[in-house]
Amino acid sequence: MKTKFKFTLCVFFVLLAAIFQVSGLTMSARAILTGNLVKESQGKDEDAKYEFFKLDPKNQKDDDGLVIEFSEGSFGGRLGLWYQVNNKIQADGATVSFRRSNVWFKPFETLKLTLGYVGNDQLYKERIDDWKVGNPFSLNEREWGAHPGYVNNSDVDDMGIGFESRAIEGLILTGGIARRWGGSYGPGEFGKAFWSKDEDGDPVYGAWGLTARYYPGNDICFQAAYRDNGTRDWKVARCAVGYEANGIYAFVQPCFGIDWNGDENKYELSGICFDLYGEYKFDAWTILAHVPVTVRLTDKDDDPSYLEASCQVKYNLGKIGNMDDFSPNIRFGSQVHDGDNLYPYIQLSDDFSDSLNFDITPGLEFKVGSCEVSFGFEMMFHSKLYTDAKLTNDFEWKVPFTTEIKL
């Protein structure tokens, strides 16, 4: 995209912020940049190559690079700017788009209606990488073309109409319906309507979902959700219970994956993920652990059960110079960061020893005013199955970083 357009877009956001301030609307904004200070890339039998300070391209489920949210009590909205920073372009040739943007209003104090992006991600989710919750689907189909690499939203994750009801004390109901969005269409383009007919004249429907959260007290929360990706497409049902008190945050969330079996022309339960997360804070220490275990029920040789694991230990040293919450930490486990990779997880099968992927990342986190910074030295040890599939070495390293400014 031309520099002139990018400059115009930045000016637009500045003017928008000024308008919000003058009009008295409440506004918040954040900007995120992620990338690598240094990254080694090396294929098998190739000399190592090193890249310095390269920003990450924005993947499908990454955070929007720039977000502005505004509200005035009974109405508000969100503008989320998604971008790509490499030479790859989207289907329509654009490198930026307002991917997750919406407006909302409250016709009643207990009812909120949303038009535009509808995505409820308020069910339990682990806090190391917010959108990476457990996934019950096939290891070999955890890609954007089949199933999302990570199923984060508990109901619709699309453009449509949504609602949130708080009519009963302690009970929050959310839901939505959506038209087809993205996929073979370019960003910002709608596909078929929510309810239509296929080539044979049979009725078909698009994505919809419902979520319920109940808080009987201050410590416990019960949650349930159903997400339907449309006619003859995958579904996810969840139930969960969580606890948060006395420095402990934990949840257990079984996720049930339902697939469409075209050969037998029916839906079937294909997998269950037991999503387990725990976090404990005491004094200056924080310990986090996340272990989603997926049990596949198809009995196919190429569809094994598998697990992921991630643990982080962090110590907050407080204020050092201009840096607040200066926290050295170390993270280790088997989770990798690309849902499209083949065999990136630990298989619970005869190939267990050949599927052991392991990451270890010592790092630092700190704040400077409204800016949050994190970086580390990530070492990735790959399994035999992974290296055979990707033609990479069994060891890679990089120095990733993230900067986030909140206003």
Side-chain angles (χ1 to χ4, degrees):
M1 182 162 293
K2 295 181 178 180
T3 303
K4 183 178 180 181
F5 178 79
K6 294 181 179 179
F7 175 77
T8 303
L9 199 60
C10 292
V11 172
F12 165 75
F13 274 104
V14 172
L15 292 176
L16 193 65
I19 292 172
F20 290 157
Q21 294 297 325
V22 172
S23 63
L25 293 174
T26 300
M27 186 194 73
S28 64
R30 62 176 173 84
I32 299 177
L33 285 178
T34 61
N36 296 294
L37 297 177
V38 185
K39 181 180 180 180
E40 177 199 44
S41 59
Q42 182 180 8
K44 285 189 175 180
D45 302 323
E46 293 181 357
D47 294 333
K49 299 177 182 178
Y50 302 93
E51 298 174 326
F52 296 90
F53 195 77
K54 183 177 180 180
L55 296 179
D56 288 339
K58 304 296 289 183
N59 294 324
Q60 180 179 349
K61 295 304 300 182
D62 286 349
D63 283 327
D64 295 303
L66 181 63
V67 174
I68 292 179
E69 295 180 304
F70 58 93
S71 65
E72 191 279 322
S74 60
F75 69 91
R78 181 186 197 274
L79 292 174
L81 177 67
W82 178 89
Y83 63 85
Q84 277 193 314
V85 296
N86 63 357
N87 294 324
K88 296 179 181 179
I89 60 175
Q90 295 299 296
D92 66 349
T95 53
V96 298
S97 66
F98 293 104
R99 179 181 55 167
R100 288 186 283 206
S101 302
N102 57 38
V103 294
W104 58 266
F105 62 93
K106 292 183 177 180
F108 306 100
E109 190 59 32
T110 58
L111 179 63
K112 176 181 176 180
L113 300 179
T114 300
L115 305 176
Y117 173 72
V118 181
N120 172 33
D121 58 359
Q122 298 179 43
L123 278 190
Y124 292 114
K125 57 187 181 181
E126 57 94 358
R127 299 180 181 183
I128 297 175
D129 294 300
D130 284 348
W131 51 269
K132 294 182 179 179
V133 298
N135 191 309
F137 294 112
S138 171
L139 178 65
N140 299 323
E141 293 184 355
R142 287 177 56 155
E143 56 187 16
W144 307 122
H147 302 106
Y150 293 88
V151 187
N152 67 317
N153 289 94
S154 52
D155 47 46
V156 178
D157 186 15
D158 251 314
M159 302 295 285
I161 302 173
F163 76 91
E164 178 182 293
S165 172
R166 297 173 180 256
I168 301 175
E169 184 177 358
L171 178 64
I172 303 174
L173 299 175
T174 61
I177 62 174
R179 298 183 67 168
R180 291 294 183 183
W181 174 262
S184 59
Y185 310 98
E189 295 181 19
F190 286 105
K192 296 180 180 179
F194 173 75
W195 186 270
S196 59
K197 293 185 178 181
D198 61 17
E199 297 176 353
D200 299 325
D202 296 325
V204 294
Y205 61 89
W208 65 276
L210 293 171
T211 300
R213 290 176 286 149
Y214 178 60
Y215 299 86
N218 296 326
D219 301 339
I220 300 291
C221 178
F222 298 97
Q223 306 190 15
Y226 179 76
R227 176 176 171 180
D228 191 319
N229 206 47
T231 304
R232 295 185 290 276
D233 211 334
W234 57 268
K235 316 2 176 129
V236 175
R238 305 183 188 193
C239 56
V241 58
Y243 174 85
E244 185 170 12
N246 303 317
I248 298 173
Y249 172 78
F251 66 77
V252 178
Q253 178 181 227
C255 305
F256 301 88
I258 303 169
D259 270 316
W260 171 256
N261 188 328
D263 295 334
E264 299 183 14
N265 201 35
K266 67 176 184 178
Y267 294 103
E268 61 183 14
L269 178 65
S270 63
I272 304 173
C273 177
F274 299 92
D275 200 5
L276 311 173
Y277 181 81
E279 179 179 314
Y280 182 46
K281 295 182 179 181
F282 62 98
D283 299 328
W285 292 92
T286 300
I287 301 174
L288 310 91
H290 184 216
V291 185
V293 181
T294 296
V295 178
R296 296 293 297 165
L297 305 175
T298 62
D299 295 327
K300 297 179 180 178
D301 292 337
D302 61 347
D303 189 8
S305 299
Y306 56 95
L307 66 83
E308 304 164 77
S310 185
C311 180
Q312 187 178 39
V313 179
K314 181 165 55 176
Y315 186 80
N316 192 330
L317 292 173
K319 187 176 181 63
I320 297 179
N322 292 327
M323 299 175 291
D324 293 317
D325 294 332
F326 188 88
S327 304
N329 61 82
I330 185 168
R331 185 180 65 190
F332 53 92
S334 65
Q335 290 181 335
V336 296
H337 312 293
D338 184 355
D340 290 337
N341 279 337
L342 185 64
Y343 299 118
Y345 311 103
I346 300 175
Q347 299 186 31
L348 301 177
S349 65
D350 293 338
D351 293 324
F352 177 84
S353 60
D354 290 332
S355 67
L356 292 174
N357 292 281
F358 189 81
D359 286 14
I360 181 168
T361 308
L364 286 175
E365 298 176 5
F366 57 87
K367 299 178 182 178
V368 179
S370 298
C371 182
E372 299 181 6
V373 180
S374 67
F375 64 91
F377 181 75
E378 183 173 7
M379 295 166 283
M380 296 161 284
F381 301 87
H382 296 313
S383 68
K384 178 179 182 298
L385 289 176
Y386 182 90
T387 54
D388 287 348
K390 288 295 181 179
L391 298 178
T392 60
N393 287 332
D394 55 7
F395 174 76
E396 294 181 272
W397 65 269
K398 59 184 178 180
V399 183
F401 74 90
T402 298
T403 59
E404 180 175 0
I405 298 177
K406 298 179 180 179
L407 299 176

